[in-house]
C-alpha cells in the first residue's frame, strides 16, 4: 500500500495482499493517514483546532489498542504465529501511541512573529509513526489471513484422510458410517473455500477455485454411487475402474484448491495458461498501434514472428475435421490478407525509419489501420465458427438420445449395444472437447479461458466414466445400485452441457461488449469463530419436482436481471454508486435464478435465504442513495423518485422479513423459497423502472448546474485535499474527524471473523 504521491513516503510493508477483505480493510486507514500527513503545514492556531487534533491522536491510539488486543488474542491461540504476530502487534501499539503523542499539541508555544504554529511538533516523526502503523497493521492482517489458509489446509487434510478410509472399506455398514463423516467434512471445506473464492483479488485464481469446487461438488455424489456399486459388485472390473477415476479426480481437485490458497504448485513453478488466439491478437494490435508513438518501440521481425504464431494457432480451426469447407477457406483467406497487410506495414515502417521520421507517416498510418482491421476480421470469423459449432452441438445433444440409449441397453444387459453407443458417445466427447478448445481461443478473458479448460477436462473425464458405468449395468442389469450410478454420471454430463450453454452466453457478451462478467455472489453464513460446529447447520436442497415447479418463476427473475443489465449499460457514468449497487443486486438475483435450476454456488435453501437477506440489505442501501439524490431534484421529480423509493424499501423489507422467518417442514420451506424469489422479482421490477428515470434526471441536473454528484463522490474528491480547520473539527462530510477515524479503525475488527 502506498501513500499519495504528494508526500508521506511509501507505506509498502513488503507483504503480498491476496484477498479483498485485507485490502478493503487497509484502504480507509491508508486514505486517512495519508490525509493527516498531507495536512497544511500551517493552520491558524485556535483552541478548537488544538482540541480536534488532540482528539484525533487519542482516537488513533484507542482504536489501534482495540485492534491490537484482537491480534494478541489470535496470537495466543496460534503458537506457530505467536512471535511474529506479537511483534507486529507491539509495533502497531507503539506507532499508535507515537501518533497520539505527536498530535498532543496542548504544549505548543506560538511561533514569534505571525502568531501561527505548525500542527505537529515533529512532522518527520509523524511520517515515521504512520509508516510503522500501516506496516504493522498490514502484517497483522496478513498473518490473520494465514490462519484462514491454515484452516482450509487442515480441513483438506481431514477430507483426504476420510477419503482414503472410504477407498478401503469392504462393508456397507462401514461405508455408511465413514461417508456420513465425509459429508460433514466436505460441508466445512465447501464453506471455507467458498468464502475464500469470493475474497480472492485475482480473477484467474477465483476462476480456478470455482472450477475445482465444481469438481468436488459433482464428484461427491459420484463417489457415493460408484463406491456403493463397487461394494455390491466387488469382482466387476468396470465398477472398479469407475470408482478409481472418481477418487483420483477428487484428489486432484483438492490439491488444486491448496495450490490456489497457498499460491504454490506441488510440481514446482506455476503452469502458465497457453496463449489464446484472442490474447495473441490483442497483444499484436497493441504492438502495431504503438508504432504511432514510436517507430522503434518494437522490431519488424518481432511483429512478423508474432503474426506467424497467430496464424499457426488458427490451425486448431482449419485442421479440425468438424470445420466446414467454406469456413476453412474463409479463415485461410483472412490469414493471407492479414499477412499481406502486415508485410505492407513493415515496408512502410522501414521506409519511415530510413527517412529518420519521428512518428508514423500518413502512408504508415493507413497500413496500421488496415492491419488492425484485417486481424479484427480474422478474430470475428474465428468467433463465428467457434460459437456456431458450440451452438450446433448443444442443440444436437439437447435430447440426450445417446445417454438414454446407453441406459436402456445397459438395463437390457446388451453388452454389444453398449459398446456401439459407447463409440458414439466417445465421438461426441471428442467433438465437445475440441469445441471447448476453440472457445478457449476466442473467450475474451482469462477467467473465461479457465472455465473453457475446465469444461474441456470435464467432458474428457466424464465420457469414459459413463461408459464404464454403462458396462457395469450391462453386466448386472438387475442391479438398482448400478442403474443409480449410471444415472448420476449421465446427470453430470447433462449438467456440464448446461454450464457450457451459460459459458457460451458469457463469451458472446464479452465479444459484443456487453457485461459478460456477471458474478454469482455467494454470501454463505459464517458458522462461528474459527468455523466450528459446521455440522450443526441444517439446510435442504430442492428435489426435482420442486425445481420444476419453481423453474418458471426463476426464469422470470433471470429475464429481469437481463433488463437491469440493459438499463445500466445506457448510463454514461458506469462507476456511479447507483450503477454499482444495481450491478450487485442484479448479480445476486442471477445467482438465485441459478439456484432454481439446481446450479450455481447457492446449493441449499439456507444459502438462498442468506443470499436473499444480503440482497435486501443492498436494496436498502440503494434506497439511501435515492434519498440523497432526491434532495438535488425539483419538486415534481423529487416526489416521483421518493414514491418509487418507498416501493423499493417496502419490497426490500418484505424480502428481509421472509428470509429471516423460521420455517419447518418441506412444504413450508418450499413456500419460503417461492416467496423469496417473488420478492426478489418485485425489487428488480422497481429497479428497472428507476434506472432510466434516475439516469435522465442526473443528466438533466448536470446540464443545468454541471454539479450533481452523490455524497459518496464528493467524499472521494475530498480524500486527497488538505485538511482544513473545519474538517479537523468534524464539520466535513468525511474529513479526518474523530468519528470518521473511529469508524475506519473499527473496521479493522474484521480479524474477529477470521
Amino acid at each position: 500500500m502506498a501513500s499519495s504521491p504528494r508526500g508521506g513516503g511509501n507505506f509498502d510493508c513488503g507483504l503480498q495482499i491476496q484477498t479483498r477483505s485485507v485490502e478493503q480493510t487497509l484502504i480507509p486507514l491508508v486514505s486517512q493517514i495519508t490525509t493527516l500527513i498531507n495536512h497544511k503545514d500551517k493552520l491558524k492556531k485556535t483552541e478548537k483546532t488544538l482540541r480536534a487534533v488532540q482528539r484525533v491522536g487519542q482516537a488513533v491510539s484507542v482504536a489501534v489498542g482495540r485492534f491490537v488486543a484482537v491480534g494478541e488474542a489470535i496470537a495466543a491461540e496460534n503458537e506457530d504465529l505467536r512471535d511474529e504476530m506479537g511483534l507486529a502487534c507491539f509495533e502497531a501499539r507503539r506507532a499508535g501511541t507515537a501518533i497520539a503523542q505527536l498530535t498532543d499539541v496542548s504544549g505548543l508555544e506560538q511561533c514569534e512573529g505571525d502568531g501561527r504554529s505548525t500542527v505537529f511538533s515533529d512532522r518527520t516523526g509523524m511520517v515515521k509513526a504512520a509508516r510503522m502503523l500501516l506496516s504493522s497493521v498490514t502484517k497483522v492482517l496478513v498473518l490473520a489471513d494465514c490462519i484462514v489458509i491454515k484452516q482450509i489446509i487442515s480441513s483438506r487434510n481431514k477430507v483426504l484422510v476420510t477419503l482414503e478410509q472410504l477407498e478401503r472399506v469392504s462393508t456397507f455398514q462401514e461405508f455408511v458410517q465413514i461417508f456420513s463423516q465425509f459429508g460433514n467434512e466436505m460441508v466445512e471445506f465447501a464453506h471455507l473455500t467458498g468464502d475464500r473464492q469470493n475474497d480472492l483479488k485475482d480473477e484467474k485464481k477465483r476462476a480456478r477455485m470455482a472450477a475445482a469446487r465444481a469438481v468436488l461438488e459433482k464428484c461427491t455424489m459420484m463417489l457415493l454411487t460408484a463406491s456403493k456399486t463397487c461394494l455390491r459388485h466387488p469382482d466387476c472390473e468396470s465398477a472398479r475402474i469407475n470408482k478409481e477415476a472418481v477418487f483420483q479426480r477428487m484428489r486432484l481437485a483438492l490439491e488444486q484448491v491448496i495450490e490456489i490458497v497457498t499460491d504454490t504448485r506441488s510440481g514446482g513453478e506455476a503452469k502458465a495458461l497457453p496463449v489464446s488466439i484472442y490474447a495473441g491478437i490483442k497483444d499484436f494490435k497493441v504492438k502495431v498501434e504503438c508504432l504511432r508513438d514510436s517507430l522503434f518501440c518494437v522490431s519488424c521481425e518481432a511483429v512478423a514472428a508474432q503474426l506467424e504464431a497467430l496464424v499457426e494457432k488458427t490451425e486448431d480451426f482449419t485442421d479440425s475435421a468438424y470445420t466446414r469447407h467454406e469456413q476453412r477457406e474463409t479463415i485461410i483467406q483472412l490469414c493471407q490478407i492479414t499477412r499481406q497487410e502486415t508485410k505492407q506495414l513493415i515496408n512502410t515502417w522501414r521506409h519511415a525509419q530510413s527517412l529518420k521520421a519521428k512518428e508514423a507517416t500518413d502512408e504508415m498510418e493507413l497500413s496500421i489501420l488496415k492491419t488492425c482491421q484485417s486481424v479484427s476480421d480474422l478474430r470475428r470469423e474465428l468467433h463465428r465458427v467457434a460459437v456456431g459449432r458450440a451452438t450446433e452441438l448443444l442443440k444436437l445433444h439437447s435430447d440426450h438420445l445417446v445417454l438414454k440409449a446407453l441406459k436402456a441397453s445397459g438395463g437390457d444387459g446388451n453388452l454389444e449395444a453398449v459398446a456401439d453407443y459407447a463409440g458414439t458417445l466417445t465421438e461426441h466427447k471428442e467433438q465437445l472437447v475440441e469445441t471447448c478448445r476453440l472457445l478457449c481461443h476466442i473467450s475474451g478473458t482469462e477467467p473465461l479461458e479457465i472455465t473453457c479448460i475446465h469444461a474441456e477436462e470435464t467432458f474428457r473425464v466424464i465420457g469414459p466414466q459413463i461408459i464404464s458405468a454403462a458396462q457395469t449395468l450391462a453386466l448386472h442389469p438387475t442391479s438398482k445400485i448400478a442403474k443409480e450410478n449410471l444415472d448420476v454420471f449421465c446427470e453430470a454430463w447433462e449438467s456440464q452441457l448446461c454450464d457450457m450453454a451459460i459459458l457460451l452466453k458469457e463469451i458472446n457478451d464479452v465479444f459484443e461488449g456487453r457485461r459478460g462478467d456477471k458474478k454469482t455472489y455467494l454470501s454463505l453464513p459464517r458458522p462461528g469463530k474459527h468455523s466450528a460446529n459446521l455440522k450443526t447447520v441444517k439446510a435442504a436442497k430442492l428435489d426435482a419436482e420442486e425445481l420444476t415447479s419453481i423453474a418458471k418463476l426463476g426464469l422470470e427473475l433471470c429475464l429481469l436481471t437481463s433488463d437491469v443489465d440493459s438499463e445500466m449499460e445506457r448510463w454514461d457514468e458506469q462507476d456511479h454508486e447507483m450503477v454499482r449497487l444495481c450491478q450487485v443486486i442484479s448479480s445476486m438475483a442471477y445467482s438465485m435464478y441459478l439456484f432454481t435450476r439446481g446450479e450455481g454456488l447457492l446449493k441449499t435453501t439456507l444459502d438462498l435465504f442468506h443470499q436473499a437477506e444480503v440482497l435486501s440489505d443492498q436494496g436498502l442501501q440503494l434506497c439511501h442513495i435515492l434519498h440523497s439524490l432526491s434532495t438535488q431534484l425539483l419538486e415534481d421529480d423529487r416526489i416521483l423518485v421518493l414514491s418509487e423509493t418507498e416501493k423499493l424499501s417496502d419490497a426490500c423489507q418484505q424480502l428481509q422479513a421472509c428470509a429471516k422467518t423460521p420455517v419447518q417442514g418441506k412444504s413450508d420451506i418450499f413456500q419460503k423459497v417461492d416467496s423469496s424469489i417473488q420478492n426478489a422479482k418485485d425489487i428488480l421490477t422497481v429497479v428497472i423502472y428507476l434506472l432510466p428515470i434516475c439516469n435522465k434526471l442526473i443528466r438533466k441536473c448536470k446540464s443545468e448546474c454541471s454539479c450533481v454528484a452523490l455524497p459518496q463522490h464528493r467524499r472521494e474528491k475530498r480524500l486527497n485535499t488538505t485538511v482544513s480547520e473545519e474538517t479537523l473539527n468534524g464539520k466535513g462530510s468525511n474529513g479526518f474527524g474523530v468519528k470518521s477515524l473511529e469508524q475506519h479503525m473499527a473496521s479493522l475488527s474484521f480479524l474477529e471473523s477470521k
Side-chain angles (χ1 to χ4, degrees), residues 396-411 417-418 420-422 424-426 428-429 432 459 462-467 469-470 473 483 485-498:
L396 176 66
H397 298 315
S398 60
D399 50 13
H400 310 299
L401 289 178
V402 177
L403 299 181
K404 292 174 182 176
L406 274 172
K407 291 178 185 179
S409 54
V418 167
D420 289 340
Y421 288 119
T424 305
L425 183 67
T426 300
H428 289 178
K429 178 205 71 177
L432 288 164
F459 285 123
I462 291 183
Q465 288 179 313
I466 291 175
I467 293 170
L473 178 59
K483 181 179 182 302
N485 188 47
L486 177 57
D487 287 341
V488 166
F489 281 96
C490 288
E491 286 170 7
W493 178 278
E494 293 168 7
S495 174
Q496 189 57 50
L497 286 173
C498 290

Side-chain angles (χ1 to χ4, degrees), residues 62-125:
V62 171
V64 170
R66 290 196 298 265
F67 170 77
V68 166
V70 177
E72 289 172 341
I74 292 176
E77 296 175 5
N78 297 271
E79 187 173 351
D80 53 340
L81 295 176
R82 184 174 299 168
D83 293 342
E84 200 171 359
M85 180 75 88
L87 178 60
C89 288
F90 171 77
E91 290 178 348
R93 191 188 296 277
R94 187 173 64 175
T97 302
I99 288 175
Q101 292 172 347
L102 289 166
T103 53
D104 184 0
V105 293
S106 58
L108 278 180
E109 296 293 331
Q110 283 195 349
C111 294
E112 295 181 2
D114 59 3
R116 299 167 67 90
S117 70
T118 59
V119 171
F120 302 127
S121 56
D122 182 2
R123 181 178 175 80
T124 302

Side-chain angles (χ1 to χ4, degrees), residues 270-283:
K271 181 181 178 182
L273 285 174
V275 178
S276 66
I277 292 177
Y278 169 81
I281 287 176
K282 185 178 179 181
D283 187 53

Side-chain angles (χ1 to χ4, degrees), residues 515-556:
R515 188 166 149 253
D517 59 345
K518 181 185 283 288
K519 302 179 179 69
T520 49
Y521 280 78
L522 178 62
S523 305
L524 289 175
R526 295 183 182 273
K529 190 174 180 182
H530 304 315
S531 299
N533 305 318
L534 274 161
K535 66 176 82 176
T536 62
V537 177
K538 295 181 179 180
K541 288 190 175 183
L542 299 185
D543 57 30
E545 183 179 349
E546 290 171 329
L547 286 174
T548 303
S549 301
I550 208 168
K552 181 175 180 294
L553 195 62
L555 182 59
E556 291 170 354

Side-chain angles (χ1 to χ4, degrees), residues 175-436:
F175 174 79
V176 170
Q177 182 181 359
I178 297 176
F179 190 83
S180 177
Q181 176 187 343
F182 176 76
N184 288 331
E185 291 170 353
M186 283 299 294
V187 169
E188 176 185 357
F189 191 70
H191 277 86
L192 289 171
T193 54
D195 286 344
R196 190 67 179 182
Q197 176 185 323
N198 291 329
D199 200 21
L200 287 169
K201 289 169 55 183
D202 191 292
E203 288 186 347
K204 291 183 289 183
K205 288 183 179 180
R206 286 205 301 272
R208 289 181 61 210
M209 180 74 88
R213 294 180 73 241
V215 169
L216 292 172
E217 176 200 337
K218 291 178 181 178
C219 281
T220 299
M221 182 55 70
M222 296 177 189
L223 183 145
L224 173 62
T225 57
S227 297
K228 286 165 61 180
T229 304
C230 222
L231 286 170
R232 179 59 59 87
H233 309 290
D235 299 326
C236 182
E237 180 67 12
S238 57
R240 183 189 61 79
I241 292 172
N242 185 260
K243 171 188 166 184
E244 288 179 353
V246 175
F247 276 86
Q248 175 64 14
R249 197 163 183 230
M250 285 203 78
R251 288 193 176 94
L252 289 174
L254 288 166
E255 187 62 32
Q256 181 175 339
V257 169
I258 300 305
E259 288 174 2
I260 295 165
V261 298
T262 59
D263 203 24
T264 58
R265 181 172 287 272
S266 57
E269 291 295 322
K271 181 181 178 182
L273 285 174
V275 178
S276 66
I277 292 177
Y278 169 81
I281 287 176
K282 185 178 179 181
D283 187 53
F284 177 78
K285 288 177 69 176
V286 167
K287 287 182 178 177
V288 168
E289 289 174 342
C290 79
L291 294 175
R292 292 188 175 102
D293 300 321
S294 172
L295 301 183
F296 301 94
C297 61
V298 65
S299 68
C300 302
E301 293 76 13
V303 171
Q306 187 169 5
L307 176 62
E308 289 309 311
L310 275 176
V311 171
E312 185 178 348
K313 288 182 184 296
T314 63
E315 292 175 2
D316 285 345
F317 289 78
T318 56
D319 291 352
S320 171
Y322 307 109
T323 301
R324 291 197 292 270
H325 176 71
E326 62 273 15
Q327 292 176 334
R328 183 179 295 108
E329 290 298 314
T330 302
I331 293 171
I332 292 173
Q333 182 182 6
L334 288 171
C335 286
Q336 188 59 32
I337 291 173
T338 305
R339 277 196 179 108
Q340 292 171 356
E341 297 297 348
T342 305
K343 183 178 180 181
Q344 178 63 26
L345 170 63
I346 290 174
N347 289 336
T348 58
W349 180 7
R350 284 174 173 160
H351 179 65
Q353 287 178 329
S354 67
L355 297 176
K356 307 295 184 181
K358 294 182 179 180
E359 57 184 21
T361 61
D362 291 343
E363 186 181 10
M364 189 176 168
E365 175 65 29
L366 181 60
S367 292
I368 290 173
L369 291 173
K370 286 184 175 181
T371 301
C372 291
Q373 182 60 49
S374 62
V375 80
S376 295
D377 292 341
L378 175 60
R379 180 205 167 195
R380 189 175 297 105
E381 178 62 21
L382 295 175
H383 176 89
R384 190 177 69 83
V385 171
V387 169
R389 170 92 63 82
T391 303
E392 290 173 3
L393 281 178
L394 288 171
K395 185 177 181 181
L396 176 66
H397 298 315
S398 60
D399 50 13
H400 310 299
L401 289 178
V402 177
L403 299 181
K404 292 174 182 176
L406 274 172
K407 291 178 185 179
S409 54
D412 293 339
N414 190 340
L415 279 169
E416 185 177 348
V418 167
D420 289 340
Y421 288 119
T424 305
L425 183 67
T426 300
E427 183 180 351
H428 289 178
K429 178 205 71 177
E430 292 301 326
Q431 290 178 351
L432 288 164
V433 165
E434 185 178 279
T435 301
C436 290

